[in-house]
PDB file of all heavy atoms in Angstrom:
ATOM      1  N   SER A 173      -6.555  25.270  -1.867  1.00  0.00           N
ATOM      2  CA  SER A 173      -5.260  25.532  -1.255  1.00  0.00           C
ATOM      3  C   SER A 173      -4.307  26.126  -2.295  1.00  0.00           C
ATOM      4  O   SER A 173      -4.274  25.682  -3.443  1.00  0.00           O
ATOM      5  CB  SER A 173      -4.668  24.233  -0.691  1.00  0.00           C
ATOM      6  OG  SER A 173      -3.305  24.411  -0.347  1.00  0.00           O
ATOM      7  N   TYR A 174      -3.563  27.141  -1.883  1.00  0.00           N
ATOM      8  CA  TYR A 174      -2.515  27.690  -2.730  1.00  0.00           C
ATOM      9  C   TYR A 174      -1.435  28.245  -1.811  1.00  0.00           C
ATOM     10  O   TYR A 174      -1.611  28.330  -0.586  1.00  0.00           O
ATOM     11  CB  TYR A 174      -3.045  28.769  -3.660  1.00  0.00           C
ATOM     12  CG  TYR A 174      -3.335  30.114  -2.989  1.00  0.00           C
ATOM     13  CD1 TYR A 174      -2.428  31.174  -3.073  1.00  0.00           C
ATOM     14  CD2 TYR A 174      -4.508  30.306  -2.269  1.00  0.00           C
ATOM     15  CE1 TYR A 174      -2.702  32.394  -2.465  1.00  0.00           C
ATOM     16  CE2 TYR A 174      -4.791  31.518  -1.661  1.00  0.00           C
ATOM     17  CZ  TYR A 174      -3.874  32.558  -1.745  1.00  0.00           C
ATOM     18  OH  TYR A 174      -4.133  33.748  -1.145  1.00  0.00           O
ATOM     19  N   TYR A 175      -0.283  28.651  -2.407  1.00  0.00           N
ATOM     20  CA  TYR A 175       0.844  29.169  -1.623  1.00  0.00           C
ATOM     21  C   TYR A 175       1.169  30.595  -1.991  1.00  0.00           C
ATOM     22  O   TYR A 175       1.184  30.970  -3.158  1.00  0.00           O
ATOM     23  CB  TYR A 175       2.070  28.285  -1.834  1.00  0.00           C
ATOM     24  CG  TYR A 175       2.101  27.055  -0.945  1.00  0.00           C
ATOM     25  CD1 TYR A 175       1.316  25.945  -1.237  1.00  0.00           C
ATOM     26  CD2 TYR A 175       2.907  27.018   0.187  1.00  0.00           C
ATOM     27  CE1 TYR A 175       1.312  24.836  -0.421  1.00  0.00           C
ATOM     28  CE2 TYR A 175       2.923  25.890   1.012  1.00  0.00           C
ATOM     29  CZ  TYR A 175       2.121  24.807   0.699  1.00  0.00           C
ATOM     30  OH  TYR A 175       2.131  23.703   1.512  1.00  0.00           O
ATOM     31  N   ASP A 176       1.401  31.388  -0.982  1.00  0.00           N
ATOM     32  CA  ASP A 176       2.049  32.692  -1.089  1.00  0.00           C
ATOM     33  C   ASP A 176       3.179  32.698  -0.074  1.00  0.00           C
ATOM     34  O   ASP A 176       3.763  31.653   0.174  1.00  0.00           O
ATOM     35  CB  ASP A 176       1.042  33.834  -0.856  1.00  0.00           C
ATOM     36  CG  ASP A 176       0.590  34.505  -2.166  1.00  0.00           C
ATOM     37  OD1 ASP A 176       1.439  34.655  -3.056  1.00  0.00           O
ATOM     38  OD2 ASP A 176      -0.594  34.871  -2.273  1.00  0.00           O
ATOM     39  N   ALA A 177       3.463  33.821   0.536  1.00  0.00           N
ATOM     40  CA  ALA A 177       4.584  33.866   1.497  1.00  0.00           C
ATOM     41  C   ALA A 177       4.281  34.838   2.626  1.00  0.00           C
ATOM     42  O   ALA A 177       3.422  35.706   2.522  1.00  0.00           O
ATOM     43  CB  ALA A 177       5.883  34.284   0.778  1.00  0.00           C
ATOM     44  N   GLN A 178       5.019  34.658   3.699  1.00  0.00           N
ATOM     45  CA  GLN A 178       4.850  35.475   4.899  1.00  0.00           C
ATOM     46  C   GLN A 178       6.187  36.103   5.275  1.00  0.00           C
ATOM     47  O   GLN A 178       7.229  35.473   5.195  1.00  0.00           O
ATOM     48  CB  GLN A 178       4.357  34.598   6.055  1.00  0.00           C
ATOM     49  CG  GLN A 178       4.021  35.360   7.335  1.00  0.00           C
ATOM     50  CD  GLN A 178       3.477  34.445   8.417  1.00  0.00           C
ATOM     51  OE1 GLN A 178       4.003  33.343   8.637  1.00  0.00           O
ATOM     52  NE2 GLN A 178       2.420  34.855   9.093  1.00  0.00           N
ATOM     53  N   MET A 179       6.125  37.401   5.651  1.00  0.00           N
ATOM     54  CA  MET A 179       7.259  38.090   6.235  1.00  0.00           C
ATOM     55  C   MET A 179       6.859  38.433   7.675  1.00  0.00           C
ATOM     56  O   MET A 179       6.256  39.458   7.933  1.00  0.00           O
ATOM     57  CB  MET A 179       7.587  39.366   5.471  1.00  0.00           C
ATOM     58  CG  MET A 179       8.806  40.125   6.001  1.00  0.00           C
ATOM     59  SD  MET A 179       9.086  41.740   5.203  1.00  0.00           S
ATOM     60  CE  MET A 179       9.666  41.236   3.597  1.00  0.00           C
ATOM     61  N   PRO A 180       7.175  37.528   8.637  1.00  0.00           N
ATOM     62  CA  PRO A 180       6.669  37.730   9.997  1.00  0.00           C
ATOM     63  C   PRO A 180       7.083  39.062  10.603  1.00  0.00           C
ATOM     64  O   PRO A 180       6.307  39.680  11.340  1.00  0.00           O
ATOM     65  CB  PRO A 180       7.263  36.553  10.762  1.00  0.00           C
ATOM     66  CG  PRO A 180       7.494  35.501   9.744  1.00  0.00           C
ATOM     67  CD  PRO A 180       7.907  36.256   8.508  1.00  0.00           C
ATOM     68  N   PHE A 181       8.314  39.522  10.311  1.00  0.00           N
ATOM     69  CA  PHE A 181       8.796  40.715  10.963  1.00  0.00           C
ATOM     70  C   PHE A 181       9.365  41.709   9.947  1.00  0.00           C
ATOM     71  O   PHE A 181      10.585  41.825   9.765  1.00  0.00           O
ATOM     72  CB  PHE A 181       9.863  40.365  12.021  1.00  0.00           C
ATOM     73  CG  PHE A 181       9.313  39.467  13.085  1.00  0.00           C
ATOM     74  CD1 PHE A 181       9.809  38.178  13.236  1.00  0.00           C
ATOM     75  CD2 PHE A 181       8.297  39.898  13.919  1.00  0.00           C
ATOM     76  CE1 PHE A 181       9.296  37.333  14.224  1.00  0.00           C
ATOM     77  CE2 PHE A 181       7.769  39.068  14.907  1.00  0.00           C
ATOM     78  CZ  PHE A 181       8.280  37.778  15.052  1.00  0.00           C
ATOM     79  N   PRO A 182       8.499  42.453   9.237  1.00  0.00           N
ATOM     80  CA  PRO A 182       8.998  43.459   8.292  1.00  0.00           C
ATOM     81  C   PRO A 182       9.800  44.560   8.962  1.00  0.00           C
ATOM     82  O   PRO A 182      10.626  45.205   8.308  1.00  0.00           O
ATOM     83  CB  PRO A 182       7.711  44.015   7.665  1.00  0.00           C
ATOM     84  CG  PRO A 182       6.625  43.693   8.620  1.00  0.00           C
ATOM     85  CD  PRO A 182       7.030  42.404   9.274  1.00  0.00           C
ATOM     86  N   GLU A 183       9.580  44.763  10.278  1.00  0.00           N
ATOM     87  CA  GLU A 183      10.393  45.752  10.993  1.00  0.00           C
ATOM     88  C   GLU A 183      11.869  45.384  10.932  1.00  0.00           C
ATOM     89  O   GLU A 183      12.727  46.224  10.667  1.00  0.00           O
ATOM     90  CB  GLU A 183       9.957  45.831  12.465  1.00  0.00           C
ATOM     91  CG  GLU A 183       8.498  46.223  12.670  1.00  0.00           C
ATOM     92  CD  GLU A 183       7.562  45.035  12.746  1.00  0.00           C
ATOM     93  OE1 GLU A 183       7.909  43.943  12.244  1.00  0.00           O
ATOM     94  OE2 GLU A 183       6.468  45.193  13.328  1.00  0.00           O
ATOM     95  N   ARG A 184      12.166  44.110  11.140  1.00  0.00           N
ATOM     96  CA  ARG A 184      13.548  43.667  11.079  1.00  0.00           C
ATOM     97  C   ARG A 184      14.083  43.673   9.646  1.00  0.00           C
ATOM     98  O   ARG A 184      15.268  43.896   9.417  1.00  0.00           O
ATOM     99  CB  ARG A 184      13.706  42.268  11.709  1.00  0.00           C
ATOM    100  CG  ARG A 184      13.506  42.291  13.223  1.00  0.00           C
ATOM    101  CD  ARG A 184      14.380  41.238  13.887  1.00  0.00           C
ATOM    102  NE  ARG A 184      15.765  41.344  13.466  1.00  0.00           N
ATOM    103  CZ  ARG A 184      16.657  42.202  13.956  1.00  0.00           C
ATOM    104  NH1 ARG A 184      16.311  43.063  14.881  1.00  0.00           N
ATOM    105  NH2 ARG A 184      17.893  42.193  13.507  1.00  0.00           N
ATOM    106  N   PHE A 185      13.217  43.455   8.689  1.00  0.00           N
ATOM    107  CA  PHE A 185      13.609  43.543   7.290  1.00  0.00           C
ATOM    108  C   PHE A 185      14.051  44.965   6.947  1.00  0.00           C
ATOM    109  O   PHE A 185      15.043  45.158   6.234  1.00  0.00           O
ATOM    110  CB  PHE A 185      12.437  43.114   6.418  1.00  0.00           C
ATOM    111  CG  PHE A 185      12.738  43.090   4.940  1.00  0.00           C
ATOM    112  CD1 PHE A 185      13.533  42.098   4.402  1.00  0.00           C
ATOM    113  CD2 PHE A 185      12.209  44.045   4.096  1.00  0.00           C
ATOM    114  CE1 PHE A 185      13.810  42.060   3.037  1.00  0.00           C
ATOM    115  CE2 PHE A 185      12.460  44.031   2.742  1.00  0.00           C
ATOM    116  CZ  PHE A 185      13.262  43.032   2.209  1.00  0.00           C
ATOM    117  N   VAL A 186      13.340  45.964   7.459  1.00  0.00           N
ATOM    118  CA  VAL A 186      13.723  47.354   7.207  1.00  0.00           C
ATOM    119  C   VAL A 186      15.082  47.657   7.840  1.00  0.00           C
ATOM    120  O   VAL A 186      15.926  48.333   7.240  1.00  0.00           O
ATOM    121  CB  VAL A 186      12.652  48.311   7.743  1.00  0.00           C
ATOM    122  CG1 VAL A 186      13.127  49.755   7.680  1.00  0.00           C
ATOM    123  CG2 VAL A 186      11.369  48.165   6.922  1.00  0.00           C
ATOM    124  N   VAL A 187      15.309  47.167   9.067  1.00  0.00           N
ATOM    125  CA  VAL A 187      16.626  47.332   9.688  1.00  0.00           C
ATOM    126  C   VAL A 187      17.701  46.710   8.804  1.00  0.00           C
ATOM    127  O   VAL A 187      18.778  47.311   8.604  1.00  0.00           O
ATOM    128  CB  VAL A 187      16.643  46.698  11.090  1.00  0.00           C
ATOM    129  CG1 VAL A 187      18.054  46.705  11.674  1.00  0.00           C
ATOM    130  CG2 VAL A 187      15.671  47.426  12.032  1.00  0.00           C
ATOM    131  N   ALA A 188      17.417  45.545   8.241  1.00  0.00           N
ATOM    132  CA  ALA A 188      18.399  44.879   7.379  1.00  0.00           C
ATOM    133  C   ALA A 188      18.634  45.661   6.099  1.00  0.00           C
ATOM    134  O   ALA A 188      19.772  45.730   5.595  1.00  0.00           O
ATOM    135  CB  ALA A 188      17.926  43.458   7.046  1.00  0.00           C
ATOM    136  N   LEU A 189      17.600  46.301   5.548  1.00  0.00           N
ATOM    137  CA  LEU A 189      17.774  47.141   4.360  1.00  0.00           C
ATOM    138  C   LEU A 189      18.691  48.328   4.674  1.00  0.00           C
ATOM    139  O   LEU A 189      19.598  48.653   3.894  1.00  0.00           O
ATOM    140  CB  LEU A 189      16.428  47.654   3.875  1.00  0.00           C
ATOM    141  CG  LEU A 189      15.498  46.645   3.205  1.00  0.00           C
ATOM    142  CD1 LEU A 189      14.131  47.290   2.934  1.00  0.00           C
ATOM    143  CD2 LEU A 189      16.100  46.108   1.922  1.00  0.00           C
ATOM    144  N   ALA A 190      18.459  48.977   5.835  1.00  0.00           N
ATOM    145  CA  ALA A 190      19.318  50.100   6.213  1.00  0.00           C
ATOM    146  C   ALA A 190      20.734  49.633   6.477  1.00  0.00           C
ATOM    147  O   ALA A 190      21.711  50.298   6.094  1.00  0.00           O
ATOM    148  CB  ALA A 190      18.749  50.790   7.445  1.00  0.00           C
ATOM    149  N   ASP A 191      20.870  48.470   7.108  1.00  0.00           N
ATOM    150  CA  ASP A 191      22.206  47.925   7.375  1.00  0.00           C
ATOM    151  C   ASP A 191      22.933  47.606   6.065  1.00  0.00           C
ATOM    152  O   ASP A 191      24.131  47.852   5.926  1.00  0.00           O
ATOM    153  CB  ASP A 191      22.065  46.674   8.239  1.00  0.00           C
ATOM    154  CG  ASP A 191      23.399  46.153   8.730  1.00  0.00           C
ATOM    155  OD1 ASP A 191      24.131  46.889   9.401  1.00  0.00           O
ATOM    156  OD2 ASP A 191      23.713  44.983   8.414  1.00  0.00           O
TER     157      ASP A 191
END
Side-chain angles (χ1 to χ4, degrees):
S173 167
Y174 75 100
Y175 277 77
D176 257 323
Q178 185 177 44
M179 182 187 288
F181 300 116
E183 301 92 337
R184 290 213 51 82
F185 183 73
V186 171
V187 173
L189 288 173
D191 188 59

